[in-house]
Amino acid sequence: MDKTKVVVIIALFFSVCCFAQERPVQTLRGVVNDRASGHPIPYATVRLTDIPDLGAVCDSLGRFTLPKVPVGRHSVESSFMGYEPAIIREILVTSAKEVYLEIAMRENVNELNEVVVRANNRDEAMNKMSVTGARMLSVEEASRYAGGFDDPARLVASFAGVAPSVSNNGISIHGNAPHLLQWRLEDVEIPNPNHFADIATLGGGILSSLSAQVLGNSDFFTGAFPAEYGNAVSGVFDMKLRNGNNQKNENTFQVGIMGIDFASEGPLSKKHKASYIFNYRYSTTGLLNVDLGGKMDYQDLNFKLNFPTRSAGTFSVWGTALIDKYKSSFDKNPDKWDYLEDVAQAHSTQYMAAGGITHRYFFDENTLLKTTLASTYSDQEAFQESFDRELNAAPFLDQYSRSTNLILTSSLNRKISTRFTNKTGFTYTQMFYNMNLRLAPFIDKPLDVISKGDGNTSLISAYNSSSWGMSDRLSLNFGLNGQLLTLNNHWTLEPRAGLKYQANTKTSFALAYGMYSRMEKLDVYFVKTQSTDNESVNKDLDFTKAHHLMFSFAYKISNNMSLKIEPYVQFLYDVPVMRDSSFSVLNRNDFFIENTLVNKGRGRNIGVDITWERALSKGLYYMVTASLFDSRYRGGDGVWYNTRFNRKYVLNGLIGKEWMLGRNKQNILSVNLKMTLQGGERYAPIDVEATMAHPDKEVQYDETRAYSIQRSPMLIGNYTVSYRINKRRVSHEFAIKGINFTGAKEYIQHLYNIKTEKIEASEQKTGLTNISYKIEF
């Protein structure tokens, strides 16, 4: 490219950035709902707090439209007689896409000394039955927070109680293993929705397949969650897909180092208010067929179709799916081999899909019936072979695993009075499973069947959950959840309760208790080994169970600043373990189980989560979180150990600043930083003698001192810088996002070096950078 072309491109860029003729405007639309029933509130008043003259009155269906809203940040307030005023702060309005809001208002039952304007705080869950251990996840935060990487799983690593990783996005809550987290989409439990899931860490992956382009605001629970959530003992990630714009077509195209995205939404029928939204992503490495020590290819698709009707309720069709392909490569010069792992070649494929049809119907303004019929599917296949110095190949691993679930779930939510709301529901899940794992005992030996199994079973659960405003300051949430696994007829009844006291307009206290249980992954139940022939050795395993107790103190320092302190304790019991061994599923990291297990294990997590947050205001936000905890478990040998994920502490600091630039202050420069300091990984001491005696020098650990060694603390730094140019009906965004610019190293495992004949720690310094350009039109 000659100098003349370069000069022309630079001149055009600055003309776009700096010389817009006028500040663009956009339409802000939405609906105002009753928080307890979900029914629209007709004729409520909505206005912008910073431009009071810009307001509107909702129609008979609670819908409102604010036209010609200047681009930038705005706060929206709604009010209606008999309800507490509600406000949503710092809504981002851009030139290319309309903004759609759902504002939930509480009916006025409190009689505090002054009128309360209820902000829709992000540190509170959307679920009205939750009083502790919960937070709403905003999609806008996922794109803005440093380290979020447009990935909801990485975003929650900024919240108190969560220990982040760099190389994967597995979510460890309060020292619990990532695979104990329940992923939910549209009220349905789904398989791990991460690309290259369960490889480095069971329950984690590299990047979520759920795009921020289609996700709506969601809830994240770290403990003591309400009665409607069953089959979970660690936490729940309750995600929703938003509806597409039913008035006009809007599109987004993004290209970056990580991949290309295309999203579109718009009306299917303007007359009937039907809409669609979808997002498709394809990895850059797959598109360009790049070999970076291996070839990695991933794709994902998310969509939702919404069909309101006049008298039959609202129907929606939704789905998510991913495809992952990976093929490793190795150096064919034997003189460059340091470890036996250097002479292996593997290829794998993974598929995941979930989808369903949901129906919402209001019998009256206080009663909502919601029913979903859904299916989920996951498929993992892997093959690995090793080579000798003459490059002769020998199979080492051959594995496949397939799982299909058919799900029916329904709930009836009824607002019985101003002070009392009840929600009752059930879920029926029919599960089908098939797995075969063959593994060579040593290199150059034939493959042996390690684990195989197939079968089907059902999980049936039901719940009843209520919220009662006992007085103007005291509220009680209580309920019961029960579930039955038909495979072995094990069942549970789990009481849940939460009490909240609003001392004044700034201070509140809450206490929540719950009993919880979770079935194991199906591969555990259907294990059949060579020694057991066709017998499923773990078929009679009971649920892993837990008691959660959490206290919460919340103090509103100012309109945009808050402090929350939440001490907690969790007791886990009936945990599957191996007899006379330190093994426990609480530390499970591998994708398969090959041993007989018994429900004799225990666990204990105790700690405190602290969050000090300044919500975005006047272009500035920051958040400081601290988690101090101790996570222990008792194995089948009756000895208490540190869990694999007992890091002891996690400290996070986030800060971000936005500036409105350009002649008419229509463009936005955003700079965001996050620093994390946390305890190091844990592992057991090396059994040198057993390692040297092993035919392949595979490193052996002293399991009688499981996870007794902790590595040095990790300092992880992340950043996000973006510049948005708002033109009329078009918006451009240039961004650079980085993870682990501090170069923190993660411990992977120990390996035997065939050159030095020494056992060495294998560390990985993962750094992710994404430079992207996005256009919205």
Side-chain angles (χ1 to χ4, degrees):
M1 182 179 292
D2 57 38
K3 294 183 179 179
T4 302
K5 292 182 179 179
V6 173
V7 172
V8 171
I9 291 174
I10 294 175
L12 287 174
F13 176 77
F14 277 100
S15 67
V16 170
C17 295
C18 303
F19 298 104
Q21 296 300 310
E22 60 183 14
R23 188 175 183 181
V25 295
Q26 186 56 269
T27 299
L28 191 155
R29 299 187 298 112
V31 63
V32 179
N33 293 327
D34 182 289
R35 176 175 168 83
S37 68
H39 195 272
I41 301 175
Y43 312 118
T45 300
V46 180
R47 68 182 183 94
L48 298 184
T49 60
D50 53 324
I51 311 178
D53 293 338
L54 190 48
V57 176
C58 296
D59 63 14
S60 60
L61 299 177
R63 301 174 302 198
F64 66 89
T65 300
L66 301 179
K68 297 183 179 180
V69 177
V71 298
R73 297 276 180 181
H74 301 280
S75 296
V76 181
E77 182 180 1
S78 64
S79 58
F80 188 69
M81 183 177 298
Y83 284 81
E84 300 175 357
I87 184 170
I88 301 180
R89 303 187 188 278
E90 302 295 335
I91 299 299
L92 177 62
V93 178
T94 65
S95 60
K97 286 191 173 185
E98 292 184 347
V99 178
Y100 187 86
L101 299 177
E102 293 189 7
I103 304 176
M105 298 184 66
R106 289 182 173 92
E107 195 163 0
N108 192 4
V109 296
N110 295 330
E111 299 176 0
L112 302 179
N113 293 330
E114 57 186 286
V115 176
V116 176
V117 179
R118 179 80 64 173
N120 286 1
N121 296 323
R122 289 182 171 89
D123 60 349
E124 294 182 356
M126 296 188 299
N127 190 305
K128 57 185 174 292
M129 301 289 185
S130 177
V131 297
T132 65
R135 182 186 174 100
M136 184 187 80
L137 178 143
S138 163
V139 175
E140 192 267 335
E141 289 175 326
S143 60
R144 171 164 47 92
Y145 276 9
F149 233 62
D150 296 318
D151 181 349
R154 290 188 183 272
L155 170 63
V156 299
S158 301
F159 300 161
V162 180
S165 177
V166 178
S167 59
N168 69 83
N169 61 0
I171 301 173
S172 174
I173 302 173
H174 297 155
N176 288 296
H179 79 271
L180 296 176
L181 172 75
Q182 183 188 98
W183 297 88
R184 288 167 66 98
L185 183 65
E186 295 293 310
D187 300 329
V188 172
E189 182 174 0
I190 63 173
N192 185 346
N194 287 309
H195 287 293
F196 305 100
D198 302 337
I199 295 177
T201 296
L202 192 69
I206 295 179
L207 185 72
S208 174
S209 65
L210 293 164
S211 169
Q213 301 289 350
V214 297
L215 275 180
N217 291 336
S218 306
D219 280 343
F220 181 70
F221 299 89
T222 60
F225 26 91
E228 68 181 84
Y229 299 103
N231 200 35
V233 295
S234 167
V236 178
F237 206 155
D238 189 5
M239 297 172 290
K240 309 293 182 183
L241 297 174
R242 65 183 180 88
N243 295 328
N245 192 324
N246 60 16
Q247 297 295 312
K248 72 172 189 176
N249 291 98
E250 297 174 334
N251 306 287
T252 300
F253 177 75
Q254 179 173 287
V255 58
I257 294 176
M258 298 295 292
I260 60 171
D261 291 70
F262 178 70
S264 180
E265 60 183 289
L268 291 171
S269 169
K270 290 186 178 181
K271 178 181 178 180
H272 298 98
K273 306 298 183 183
S275 66
Y276 75 90
I277 185 171
F278 78 87
N279 179 88
Y280 172 74
R281 176 168 51 184
Y282 193 6
S283 64
T284 303
T285 53
L287 185 67
L288 301 179
N289 197 28
V290 178
D291 190 335
L292 301 173
K295 293 184 178 180
M296 182 181 295
D297 180 354
Y298 63 85
Q299 306 174 59
D300 56 57
L301 173 70
N302 304 276
F303 71 90
K304 185 177 183 181
L305 311 176
N306 196 57
F307 303 95
T309 68
R310 290 185 177 181
S311 58
T314 300
F315 295 86
S316 60
V317 181
W318 54 270
T320 181
L322 64 82
I323 301 175
D324 298 330
K325 297 180 180 180
Y326 175 75
K327 184 175 182 179
S328 66
S329 58
F330 70 101
D331 196 312
K332 295 184 179 180
N333 183 356
D335 294 333
K336 294 184 179 181
W337 298 347
D338 293 321
Y339 310 100
L340 291 177
E341 285 73 7
D342 293 339
V343 298
Q345 181 173 277
H347 60 83
S348 64
T349 58
Q350 294 188 350
Y351 304 88
M352 189 282 290
I357 301 174
T358 298
H359 177 236
R360 299 173 75 251
Y361 181 78
F362 278 100
F363 289 97
D364 54 44
E365 63 181 16
N366 295 318
T367 308
L368 170 64
L369 176 67
K370 186 176 182 181
T371 302
T372 298
L373 179 64
S375 178
T376 68
Y377 174 77
S378 64
D379 185 317
Q380 297 178 327
E381 299 181 14
F383 180 80
Q384 181 177 329
E385 54 189 352
S386 59
F387 294 82
D388 59 21
R389 296 186 66 86
E390 286 72 38
L391 301 183
N392 297 313
F396 185 74
L397 177 146
D398 187 8
Q399 179 260 342
Y400 70 82
S401 175
R402 300 183 183 93
S403 179
T404 301
N405 292 349
L406 302 178
I407 305 150
L408 174 64
T409 182
S410 185
S411 65
L412 183 69
N413 187 86
R414 178 163 176 77
K415 180 181 175 182
I416 298 172
S417 70
T418 302
R419 293 184 179 272
F420 196 90
T421 301
N422 177 266
K423 187 175 184 180
T424 301
F426 76 92
T427 299
Y428 177 86
T429 305
Q430 184 69 36
M431 299 171 283
F432 302 89
Y433 176 77
N434 189 2
M435 175 185 177
N436 189 12
L437 171 65
R438 296 191 300 154
L439 187 69
F442 308 110
I443 294 176
D444 293 333
K445 297 295 183 181
L447 296 174
D448 289 339
V449 175
I450 300 299
S451 177
K452 67 176 180 179
D454 62 87
N456 67 90
T457 186
S458 301
L459 182 68
I460 305 169
S461 64
Y463 65 89
N464 185 283
S465 185
S466 298
S467 178
W468 176 28
M470 302 171 65
S471 70
D472 61 345
R473 297 178 184 270
L474 191 64
S475 62
L476 173 66
N477 298 333
F478 58 94
L480 186 68
N481 185 295
Q483 62 181 12
L484 166 70
L485 181 63
T486 62
L487 178 70
N488 48 33
N489 291 325
H490 285 299
W491 57 275
T492 63
L493 284 178
E494 305 162 14
R496 318 275 176 89
L499 187 68
K500 184 175 181 180
Y501 176 65
Q502 190 73 43
N504 51 52
T505 57
K506 291 187 175 183
T507 307
S508 67
F509 302 89
L511 180 67
Y513 161 79
M515 177 180 169
Y516 304 89
S517 67
R518 183 170 178 82
M519 65 174 289
E520 294 304 311
K521 293 170 67 68
L522 284 178
D523 66 293
V524 176
Y525 294 102
F526 294 118
V527 167
K528 299 174 184 176
T529 65
Q530 286 182 315
S531 60
T532 60
D533 196 24
N534 288 322
E535 180 187 0
S536 297
V537 296
N538 294 319
K539 186 176 180 179
D540 197 45
L541 274 180
D542 202 350
F543 299 101
T544 294
K545 303 184 183 72
H547 296 287
H548 287 193
L549 182 65
M550 178 174 280
F551 175 79
S552 179
F553 166 76
Y555 180 69
K556 188 176 181 181
I557 301 172
S558 65
N559 284 336
N560 56 13
M561 188 177 297
S562 62
L563 173 68
K564 179 175 284 188
I565 302 174
E566 294 188 318
Y568 65 87
V569 61
Q570 300 175 351
F571 294 105
L572 294 90
Y573 61 103
D574 287 351
V575 179
V577 296
M578 287 175 55
R579 294 186 186 275
D580 303 318
S581 168
S582 61
F583 175 85
S584 170
V585 296
L586 297 182
N587 304 303
R588 186 179 173 189
N589 210 37
D590 297 325
F591 64 87
F592 69 93
I593 290 286
E594 58 177 311
N595 302 105
T596 303
L597 304 178
V598 293
N599 293 103
K600 299 294 185 181
R602 296 287 186 271
R604 185 203 67 208
N605 304 315
I606 186 169
V608 59
D609 297 333
I610 303 172
T611 302
W612 175 38
E613 181 174 13
R614 183 190 194 271
L616 183 64
S617 177
K618 297 181 179 179
L620 176 68
Y621 75 91
Y622 53 79
M623 180 168 67
V624 177
T625 67
S627 299
L628 308 175
F629 62 96
D630 185 55
S631 178
R632 307 269 178 166
Y633 80 99
R634 192 182 76 183
D637 55 5
V639 180
W640 284 88
Y641 304 94
N642 290 290
T643 65
R644 177 194 293 270
F645 303 95
N646 189 16
R647 293 182 181 269
K648 294 290 190 180
Y649 63 89
V650 181
L651 306 175
N652 290 306
L654 294 87
I655 188 169
K657 175 64 179 175
E658 290 183 350
W659 294 269
M660 299 298 297
L661 304 176
R663 173 183 287 184
N664 295 296
K665 305 297 183 184
Q666 78 277 18
N667 303 328
I668 304 174
L669 173 65
S670 177
V671 179
N672 308 269
L673 177 68
K674 175 190 173 186
M675 300 298 294
T676 298
L677 178 66
Q678 64 182 15
E681 302 93 336
R682 289 187 173 274
Y683 63 93
I686 306 301
D687 188 333
V688 177
E689 183 177 345
T691 300
M692 300 308 292
H694 192 278
D696 296 334
K697 300 296 189 293
E698 180 181 319
V699 175
Q700 306 296 302
Y701 297 90
D702 182 0
E703 300 299 340
T704 64
R705 293 188 288 164
Y707 309 113
S708 59
I709 299 177
Q710 184 173 19
R711 292 177 62 84
S712 300
M714 299 175 61
L715 179 64
I716 306 169
N718 306 318
Y719 65 87
T720 294
V721 180
S722 66
Y723 186 64
R724 179 181 288 272
I725 303 167
N726 284 303
K727 301 287 286 182
R728 186 181 180 187
R729 298 178 182 174
V730 178
S731 175
H732 309 266
E733 184 183 76
F734 302 87
I736 178 170
K737 302 179 181 183
I739 291 179
N740 193 27
F741 69 82
T742 49
K745 294 182 179 180
E746 289 183 292
Y747 167 76
I748 306 300
Q749 60 182 332
H750 277 78
L751 298 173
Y752 177 78
N753 191 311
I754 57 180
K755 286 183 177 179
T756 64
E757 298 183 347
K758 293 182 179 179
I759 301 172
E760 301 173 351
S762 173
E763 298 177 323
Q764 183 171 308
K765 185 171 68 174
T766 303
L768 299 176
T769 303
N770 189 29
I771 301 174
S772 64
Y773 164 71
K774 179 168 65 176
I775 181 172
E776 298 176 343
F777 57 97

